[in-house]
Amino acid sequence: MSFPVVRMRRLRRNPLLRRMVQETRLEVFDLVAPLFVKEGIAAPEPIASMPGQYQHTLDSLVRECEELVEVGVPAVILFGIPARKDPEGSGASDPNGIIQRALRRIREEFGERLLLITDLCMCEYTSHGHCGIVRNGTVDNDRTLDRYREIAISQAAAGADIIAPSGMMDGQVQAIREALDGAGYQDIAILAYAAKYASSLYGPFREAAESAPKFGDRRSYQMDIANREEAIREVSLDIEEGADMVMVKPALPNLDILAKIKELFRMPTAAYNVSGEYAMVKAAAQQGWLDERATVVEILTAIKRAGADVILTYFAKDAAHWLRERS
Ligand code: PBG
Ligand code: ZN
């Protein structure tokens, strides 16, 4: 059967018909809001390359969480910026570190009303800005794992629900799983940044998190954008090591990878709509070159259609508002 009997436009004739046959529905439950909290500042500081995003104080972080809870965003992922950095990234595992304090504060205020995800990495905490321990000019994988174990336990102790290692060290999921289980945190889940590509789209984040590497780049641990089979191996290894959820990042240049991974592994799968993707839309919208709302809903829906169960996005709060107005 084909034209003229078949007419695809029949089901596009009006909004209700289009809604009825819509295959992918973006929902507020799909979203995770990334938030930055900085030690030792008196007021929230706007992030120039990410309009609408802030380096929060503990108080402004709580207020932001309140707004997110009000509009129904179910989860946040927290990034901490310590007052002092050192080569070992000591602040990352400090029981009184900025993330640990933030976790306790938010838990106290919101209980079970908000899921708390922590990014587990060292680049915000190290003086050299790399994601692990540097030895002989390169990041030493296995020494870094020892630090990740300590950081994981400190984050769990402070109340994280889900720990998300983003450093792309080999064996990081296994190391963290063992550490958590050994310390009695069997029920804390791991969201593995499994297929994380080296990307220029992390630029604004590195301003926000003050985490740019002081020498070299991250290509000896993050993936080459040219590679596909490698992403499949990365995800498969993380699942074997005990990941509960896997992530593809950045989302938009890697929708093919996201679709493939969802199809192959059938795991709860997340995609990170990263800082550079946010900045591009914001910049164009500020110029009046793009309709921000329509663009964001289109992008987030496409990420979900490609296979994401969970989308980490700086647009979470705005999208939540827009989704409310729509329904
Ligand atoms: C830390 C980390 C980064 C991002 C998330 N966790 C930056 C990086 O790897 O340099 C990027 C997120 C974004 O750009 O929004 N390892
Ligand atoms: Zn890092």
Side-chain angles (χ1 to χ4, degrees), residues 1-310:
M1 208 74 85
S2 61
F3 182 82
V5 176
V6 175
R7 289 181 182 269
M8 297 303 281
R9 290 182 55 191
R10 280 186 202 119
L11 298 180
R12 297 178 195 146
R13 196 165 48 83
N14 71 36
L16 281 178
L17 270 169
R18 290 196 290 272
R19 194 95 204 271
M20 177 180 269
V21 299
Q22 190 171 64
E23 298 176 40
T24 304
R25 291 205 176 109
L26 186 65
E27 291 175 302
V28 70
F29 316 106
D30 305 328
L31 306 176
V32 176
L35 298 176
F36 302 98
V37 57
K38 183 169 174 176
E39 192 171 38
I41 52 172
E45 289 178 5
I47 300 159
S49 56
M50 302 176 73
Q53 303 296 314
Y54 296 84
Q55 294 179 325
H56 285 287
T57 64
L58 286 170
D59 288 335
S60 74
L61 181 74
V62 168
R63 286 196 296 273
E64 185 67 20
C65 289
E66 183 74 60
E67 288 183 34
L68 289 164
V69 167
E70 254 161 46
V71 289
V73 173
V76 294
I77 180 165
L78 300 175
F79 298 92
I81 306 137
R84 273 171 302 282
K85 305 185 187 228
D86 59 30
E88 292 76 38
S90 312
S93 54
D94 181 347
N96 273 315
I98 186 63
I99 276 297
Q100 290 76 7
R101 282 160 63 206
L103 285 166
R104 288 194 297 265
R105 265 296 292 279
I106 301 175
R107 181 65 73 202
E108 203 173 287
E109 303 275 347
F110 302 100
E112 303 262 88
R113 290 187 295 147
L114 188 63
L115 280 171
L116 307 183
I117 309 176
T118 47
D119 182 89
L120 191 162
C121 201
M122 288 168 60
C123 49
E124 301 94 335
Y125 300 89
T126 51
S127 38
H128 44 72
H130 278 287
C131 301
I133 298 290
V134 172
R135 215 172 51 161
N136 303 326
T138 186
V139 175
D140 183 316
N141 193 87
D142 298 12
R143 284 197 178 193
T144 299
L145 295 185
D146 292 333
R147 289 289 297 128
Y148 285 8
R149 289 186 183 93
E150 298 168 354
I151 301 168
I153 291 171
S154 81
Q155 292 181 343
D161 295 297
I162 301 175
I163 291 179
S166 68
M168 289 298 280
M169 295 303 123
D170 290 321
Q172 63 183 11
V173 172
Q174 181 181 60
I176 291 166
R177 186 71 271 157
E178 276 174 13
L180 290 173
D181 290 357
Y185 300 112
Q186 294 87 347
D187 294 333
I188 303 305
I190 297 177
L191 162 58
Y193 282 73
K196 176 172 175 180
Y197 288 91
S199 172
S200 50
L201 294 168
Y202 306 153
F205 173 96
R206 290 178 191 170
E207 182 202 336
E210 302 176 12
S211 66
K214 295 282 185 326
F215 67 90
D217 54 38
R218 303 211 201 290
R219 291 177 195 280
S220 76
Y221 38 105
Q222 299 179 348
M223 285 178 42
D224 185 333
I225 194 75
N227 297 353
R228 200 174 96 100
E229 304 296 343
E230 189 185 353
I232 295 167
R233 289 185 72 199
E234 281 283 3
V235 171
S236 151
L237 288 167
D238 281 2
I239 295 169
E240 277 173 42
E241 289 180 25
D244 300 284
M245 310 171 71
V246 294
M247 192 197 299
V248 174
K249 175 186 173 197
L252 291 178
N254 301 301
L255 293 183
D256 58 334
I257 305 295
L258 176 60
K260 191 71 196 169
I261 276 160
K262 184 64 187 176
E263 177 191 313
L264 282 176
F265 298 105
R266 307 257 132 216
M267 288 284 287
T269 304
Y272 202 141
N273 177 219
V274 300
S275 58
E277 298 169 352
Y278 178 84
M280 289 194 283
V281 173
K282 281 285 177 188
Q286 283 180 349
Q287 298 279 333
W289 294 345
L290 279 176
D291 175 335
E292 180 175 353
R293 175 176 171 160
T295 304
V296 170
V297 171
E298 177 177 329
I299 285 174
L300 298 179
T301 304
I303 294 172
K304 182 169 185 182
R305 187 197 65 204
D309 304 292
V310 177

